[in-house]
Amino acid sequence: MTFEYAPAPESRSIVDVADSYGLFIDGSFVDTIDGQSFATVNPATEEVLSTVTEAGSQDVDRAVRAARRAYEDVWGPMSGRERSKYIYRIARLIQERSRELAVLETLDNGKPIRESRDVDLPLVAAHFFYYAGWADKLGHAGFGPSPRPLGVAAQVIPWNFPLLMLAWKVAPALAGGNTVVLKPAETTPLTALAFADICRQADLPPGVVNILTGAGSTGRALVEHPDVDKVAFTGSTEVGRQIMRGIAGSSKRLTLELGGKAANIVFDDAPIDQAIEGIVNGIFFNQGHVCCAGSRLLLQESIAEEAIASLQRRLGTLRLGDPLDKNTDVGAINSASQLERIAELADSGDAEGAMRWTAPCTLPERGYWFPPTVFTGVTQAHRIAREEIFGPVLSVLTFRTPDEAVEKANNTPYGLSAGVWTEKGSRILWMAARMRAGVVWANTFNRFDPTSPFGGYKESGFGREGGVHGLGPYLNTDTMDYDTALQIGFGVSEVAR
Ligand code: TAP
């Protein structure tokens, strides 16, 4: 039975979106020197929310110089104990302003308010609290007795978890004593600009955090700037490759968090109702705009028919629509171009012979929407089983034995995450040891915690964010032992250097 719900929209009056925004450099919002401006829209309505600045190369230079000054004069020499107080203050301010930030994130990104309020924002604050705790204990983190910061970090992030990706990058960088120039994604700049205001409110010394809104060209100018010591990028594998090429031959440190095509594997002894919830959460959370989404469902053949029927019944109860409504399960696709990509890949599923099933729901007339979709009869050669769709589209494959499940799960150029559903603890350990994935969830999916490292293998990138591992890429590792360095994602040649 599906209940009818009365609309329960979260009020947007708590958010004060300015008509236009400058760049946050050296502690103030400033006008661009050589950039332009562009509009950011609400993907659920196509309403223009604000006009933001597209930073040019001179703006990038100004921001990097401000970060360098702040690093040399203030933040680098500051004791870990003092830095920790600032980071803690930022965490508290995020908590205090969390309702406003959640509404802003939902407006700019299209994700349901339930997710921005109950998942993104608590995790954002938790990351700052966690790394505030490390700032004065770096000598006990396993990186030698007195690890040093690297300097100026250039950080470029995507649009799927705008504020959370910022937190994953800014919090460990600041804890390690580095200063930051961060570029948010073009379609979701507003929460990063609100974060700039929080830095001001926290009295963070000018230049320690700089926010440059802009496009791909801004990101490129930033990561290739000669005075940047460390580059941290989260985004597509293609852009990750371009960045590697762009900074090759320089002494910049690099971490890449890239795409994924995770297998969510369900054995015949799994608690099926829980597994169905895990499958739904794995691929339809955040409209499938999740790098570690369980986009390939591997069902043991004996339960496939029953599981697909249960899944379809459950998907029939999902509510798609106004992301600000507290009852909404599935929000808007983040942009017209992402919608086009999802539709094109789904069409390839039809063309290559898979069977499409679409959840019964009415799509709003305005905005960018794609209904929860399940493809059955998928083979490993199909594009929808190989390419990252980054949308609410699930590809279902089957297997007979654990060996076959491992073989199929690892048959991807990516290696970010995987899920295993079974009652047997021994099978969980057997599977986890064989998965080429940075994270393996057992009888759950999409669980995050600031104390736990996250990152990929193969084309999903290298380096880890989160946990004590997430500090390593922001510290000078001269005194780090070889095993720790490899574990946190430095290449063998870099460790040997
Ligand atoms: P991208 O198109 O790669 O963009 C990511 C960021 O890089 C954006 O800020 C983008 O700016 C910027 N950028 C574009 N071209 C650049 C260049 N040549 N040099 C430097 N920066 C450049 O990815 P996306 O579409 O925003 O995000 C989706 C991808 O991110 C998916 O593949 C997803 O799997 C991945 N992702 C991975 C993770 C982890 S932790 N592994 C987490 C979230 C997302 P514009 O916005 O202006 O294009």
Side-chain angles (χ1 to χ4, degrees):
M1 185 173 102
T2 313
F3 292 106
E4 289 298 322
Y5 282 76
E10 174 72 61
S11 166
R12 58 183 280 181
S13 63
I14 193 167
V15 164
D16 191 11
V17 183
D19 290 340
S20 64
Y21 289 91
L23 304 165
F24 186 68
I25 299 177
D26 216 4
S28 318
F29 281 97
V30 296
D31 290 335
T32 173
I33 304 172
D34 60 339
Q36 297 167 22
S37 62
F38 62 97
T40 184
V41 301
N42 178 343
T45 59
E46 298 174 56
E47 159 209 7
V48 171
L49 292 168
S50 184
T51 303
V52 295
T53 306
E54 181 181 335
S57 55
Q58 292 184 44
D59 297 318
V60 169
D61 188 53
R62 186 164 51 149
V64 173
R65 278 193 284 115
R68 173 64 58 195
R69 270 197 310 276
Y71 172 68
E72 282 174 1
D73 299 345
V74 190
W75 199 249
M78 191 184 281
S79 71
R81 195 168 156 191
E82 286 306 307
R83 284 202 308 271
S84 141
K85 289 183 197 166
Y86 282 106
I87 304 169
Y88 187 77
R89 204 179 295 164
I90 290 172
R92 289 292 304 268
L93 286 164
I94 289 169
Q95 273 190 326
E96 279 169 26
R97 293 177 61 173
S98 69
R99 193 161 148 239
E100 170 202 345
L101 293 167
V103 172
L104 190 59
E105 195 78 300
T106 285
L107 285 173
D108 207 18
N109 172 282
K111 63 173 70 197
I113 186 71
R114 223 156 38 90
E115 292 177 5
S116 47
R117 183 195 61 192
D118 299 345
V119 181
D120 294 38
L121 260 299
L123 278 171
V124 170
H127 273 81
F128 279 98
F129 278 121
Y130 175 74
Y131 283 109
W134 270 119
D136 62 347
K137 302 175 194 69
L138 297 177
H140 307 279
F143 305 113
S146 52
R148 284 168 292 120
L150 295 174
V152 175
Q155 306 183 322
V156 179
I157 56 171
W159 45 262
N160 57 341
F161 291 93
L163 199 54
L164 185 56
M165 292 298 102
L166 175 151
W168 282 21
K169 292 205 164 15
V170 173
L174 296 189
N178 306 275
T179 56
V180 162
V181 182
L182 176 133
K183 190 199 93 66
E186 201 172 333
T187 56
T188 52
L190 294 184
T191 45
L193 292 166
F195 178 77
D197 189 48
I198 286 176
C199 292
R200 256 192 343 194
Q201 228 183 323
D203 282 331
L204 193 70
V208 174
V209 169
N210 305 273
I211 307 284
L212 294 181
T213 48
S217 55
T218 311
R220 187 146 116 219
L222 175 58
V223 300
E224 292 183 6
H225 192 287
D227 204 25
V228 157
D229 302 294
K230 152 82 189 165
V231 174
F233 171 77
T234 297
S236 61
T237 299
E238 184 44 44
V239 174
R241 277 198 193 98
Q242 288 173 27
I243 290 176
M244 273 188 105
R245 279 196 290 268
I247 68 170
S250 76
S251 59
K252 290 174 184 154
R253 293 278 171 88
L254 174 67
T255 37
L256 295 175
E257 299 279 359
L258 309 176
K261 190 74 188 173
N264 203 359
I265 305 164
V266 184
F267 285 93
D268 58 5
D269 64 342
I272 198 70
D273 290 344
Q274 278 164 258
I276 296 295
E277 289 309 308
I279 295 163
V280 172
N281 174 38
I283 181 65
F284 300 110
F285 171 63
N286 202 28
Q287 295 70 249
H289 300 328
V290 183
C291 50
C292 50
S295 53
R296 286 183 299 147
L297 174 61
L298 267 61
L299 291 173
Q300 194 150 20
E301 204 173 85
S302 52
I303 56 156
E305 211 172 303
E306 176 200 342
I308 290 166
S310 299
L311 178 64
Q312 291 175 345
R313 265 198 308 279
R314 177 67 179 92
L315 293 180
T317 67
L318 292 184
R319 287 176 294 271
L320 175 147
D322 180 6
L324 275 178
D325 192 313
K326 290 171 226 159
N327 293 321
T328 293
D329 298 304
V330 182
I333 300 302
N334 180 251
S335 64
S337 63
Q338 185 60 21
L339 178 59
E340 202 178 307
R341 175 169 166 75
I342 296 168
E344 190 267 322
L345 272 161
D347 289 347
S348 83
D350 298 328
E352 291 183 337
M355 269 95 67
R356 184 197 296 233
W357 180 90
T358 302
C361 55
T362 313
L363 303 186
E365 277 172 20
R366 287 190 69 77
Y368 316 126
W369 304 92
F370 199 87
T373 298
V374 177
F375 277 98
T376 51
V378 179
T379 73
Q380 293 185 83
H382 288 163
R383 283 182 67 200
I384 54 171
R386 305 174 63 78
E387 295 181 30
E388 185 183 43
I389 301 176
F390 223 58
V393 179
L394 179 66
S395 301
V396 185
L397 297 98
T398 57
F399 66 93
R400 289 184 184 167
T401 63
D403 282 323
E404 188 185 346
V406 170
E407 190 76 25
K408 285 185 167 165
N410 287 340
N411 184 13
T412 166
Y414 295 109
L416 194 54
S417 64
V420 180
W421 296 82
T422 173
E423 210 174 47
K424 291 195 184 73
S426 57
R427 182 177 279 162
I428 290 170
L429 296 175
W430 189 90
M431 292 290 293
R434 284 158 182 78
M435 293 292 172
R436 291 295 292 159
V439 180
V440 180
W441 284 291
N443 293 331
T444 187
F445 209 91
N446 275 343
R447 291 269 160 204
F448 299 97
D449 190 286
T451 64
S452 175
F454 185 89
Y457 288 103
K458 302 193 282 183
E459 290 190 12
S460 292
F462 50 83
R464 294 292 178 264
E465 290 187 322
V468 67
H469 297 71
L471 282 170
Y474 289 99
L475 294 173
N476 192 320
T477 55
D478 286 353
T479 50
M480 194 194 298
D481 70 76
Y482 183 83
D483 285 344
T484 311
L486 280 184
Q487 233 182 343
I488 64 167
F490 288 94
V492 173
S493 57
E494 204 170 354
V495 173
R497 193 142 47 89

